Amino acid sequence: MINQRSLRTSILLLLLLTSFVAGTLAATYRVTDYGAKGDGITDDTQAFTNAWRAVCLNSKEASTLLIPGGKVYLLGLTKFRGPCNHYVRVQVDGNLKRVDEVWSDDDNNWLVFINLNGITVAGAGEIDGQGASWWACKEAKTCAFLAANSLALLHVTKAQVLGLSFKNSAMMHVAVGMSVGVRISNLKITAPAESPNTDGIHVERSRHVIISDCQISTGDDCVSVSSGAKDVNISRIRCGPGHGLSIGSLGIEKSYATAEGIHVSDSTIVRTDNGVRIKTWQGATGFARDISFRNISLTEVRNPIIIDQFYCPRGGCKNETSAVQVSDVKFIGVKGTSANDMAIRLECSQSSGCHDVVMEDVDIRNAVPGEQAQAFCFNAHGKKAKVVKPDVPCLSY
Ligand SMILES: *[C@@H]1O[C@H](CO)[C@@H](O)[C@H](O)[C@H]1NC(C)=O
Ligand SMILES: *[C@@H]1O[C@H](CO)[C@@H](O)[C@H](O)[C@H]1NC(C)=O
Ligand SMILES: *[C@@H]1O[C@H](CO)[C@@H](O)[C@H](O)[C@H]1NC(C)=O
């Protein structure tokens, strides 16, 4: 027998419980409730777009777009467009896979987060760019359109990308542009060493960016920071194979290019083409300044430290008189082994040179026992302190 009082209590409890659950549901939108199958076969793009519209426009409060785990969602070009007027967390528990086709669209991004203020994309999900067919058409020089970056953050503020795994992007895995206040951490990014332009994380025209605790093995730069970047801190990156940690290329097609306040620290670079690098094209204007590389460990890196103001990957560049002005660049605590004899190359522009280059506690040995490591300077100026090995003659104590 249920007495009156306990019945009343039960109803009250039930009401409380229902309102609590309803409250949670009001702020959580599951892509599976909008038709996403997650069977790895059905194209779920429309379902994701519908779920995004709901979380972004219907919700009045901070909300979650939940991509449930244990499933693989096949997606074509998907835009997560704002503004939403409230914070959105995209919880990626399941895996995302790009529809394996070379689409003919001018938009060279796959998953695009655009015009948002307050966005987090986080979870343990894997994001598979299925880039192989695109790499093949690049190899054959038959691609009609630019390959797709896997995840792009464009015109966002207060954004985070946390914890995800990325693999085999058609182009860059994570690309940040025209954004302010971005944190990227704990990502694992992998693509074959020979895959073209598969940068791990790329930043341009953005300010106040933190990239940390990522493990990156790709066919291009692990992290690349390009024009318009200001206040970018990169730390605890494990890079390799790949092309290293790069600033640039700056000043393509004689453009005005800038990079300022870029600090790279506490990172490990293993068997890459370059270690820490600044690359600029000839004939450009602008500057690269207030840059530092601290506590970097290198293992069998082909060009451990390199400033290249004659960057010209396809050849046929003429010597020009103007250049991006490189100044205030510090290499402090950069240590390890070089796979080439030439461990340090400071090749600065003929017209302006590099100024205030500082090396301190730099110790790079030849990876081949008994062979010497060497340094080369062209128009570089600055200071050295403590140990600098191999000796860099253009810098003074
Ligand atoms: C980057 O580090 C510098 C020096 O520690 C600091 O002043 C700056 O605020 C940091 N930037 C960000 C975006 O955290
Ligand atoms: C140098 O960086 C490594 C990671 O590569 C880190 O474990 C170590 O604590 C750092 N050392 C200092 C003095 O910060
Ligand atoms: C450009 O200038 C550099 C430095 O003086 C020189 O080594 C190189 O041969 C020049 N290249 C051309 C194409 O003139």
Side-chain angles (χ1 to χ4, degrees), residues 248-250 277 279-282 308-313 317:
S249 61
L250 297 173
R277 161 165 79 156
K279 51 179 173 176
T280 76
W281 297 77
Q282 292 192 67
D308 178 7
Q309 291 218 267
F310 299 89
Y311 184 64
C312 183
C317 301

Side-chain angles (χ1 to χ4, degrees), residues 236-237 265-268 294-297:
R236 298 184 298 277
I237 307 296
S265 65
D266 304 329
S267 295
T268 307
R294 282 170 210 263
N295 185 26
I296 310 289
S297 143

Side-chain angles (χ1 to χ4, degrees), residues 6-29:
S6 78
L7 188 65
R8 234 184 359 246
T9 314
S10 304
I11 288 169
L12 206 70
L13 264 174
L14 197 70
L15 278 174
L16 270 173
L17 208 69
T18 321
S19 69
F20 176 73
V21 170
T24 314
L25 284 180
T28 298
Y29 295 71

Side-chain angles (χ1 to χ4, degrees), residues 45 49 52 77-81 105 107 110-114:
T45 310
T49 306
W52 172 258
L77 170 63
T78 310
K79 285 199 173 145
F80 302 87
R81 185 185 285 281
D105 195 301
D107 202 328
W110 169 33
L111 307 167
V112 191
F113 292 84
I114 185 164

Side-chain angles (χ1 to χ4, degrees), residues 181-183 207-211 230-234 261-263 290 292 294:
V182 177
R183 176 188 292 271
R207 286 177 287 136
H208 312 311
V209 178
I210 299 174
I211 301 171
K230 185 172 181 177
D231 187 23
V232 178
N233 291 347
I234 300 165
I262 318 293
H263 303 291
D290 184 16
S292 68
R294 282 170 210 263

Side-chain angles (χ1 to χ4, degrees), residues 164-236:
L164 301 164
S165 296
F166 287 82
K167 75 174 186 190
N168 298 340
S169 182
M171 204 149 129
M172 297 162 177
H173 289 79
V174 178
V176 178
M178 295 148 295
S179 296
V180 180
V182 177
R183 176 188 292 271
I184 297 174
S185 73
N186 292 95
L187 304 189
K188 186 166 184 289
I189 302 178
T190 53
E194 64 279 5
S195 58
N197 311 115
T198 53
D199 297 50
I201 301 169
H202 175 81
V203 177
E204 65 177 53
R205 285 185 278 168
S206 298
R207 286 177 287 136
H208 312 311
V209 178
I210 299 174
I211 301 171
S212 70
D213 303 286
C214 296
Q215 204 177 312
I216 306 173
S217 317
T218 67
D220 207 308
D221 296 332
C222 289
V223 180
S224 55
V225 177
S226 195
S227 190
K230 185 172 181 177
D231 187 23
V232 178
N233 291 347
I234 300 165
S235 61
R236 298 184 298 277

Side-chain angles (χ1 to χ4, degrees), residues 252-270:
I252 192 168
E253 288 164 0
K254 304 185 183 181
S255 54
Y256 174 79
T258 65
E260 185 173 20
I262 318 293
H263 303 291
V264 182
S265 65
D266 304 329
S267 295
T268 307
I269 305 179
V270 181

Side-chain angles (χ1 to χ4, degrees), residues 11 29 32 43 50 66 118 123 134 140 144 150-151 165 175 370 372 374:
I11 288 169
Y29 295 71
T32 40
D43 185 332
N50 293 345
L66 177 63
W134 232 314
S150 282
L151 189 152
S165 296
Q372 295 296 307
Q374 293 162 24

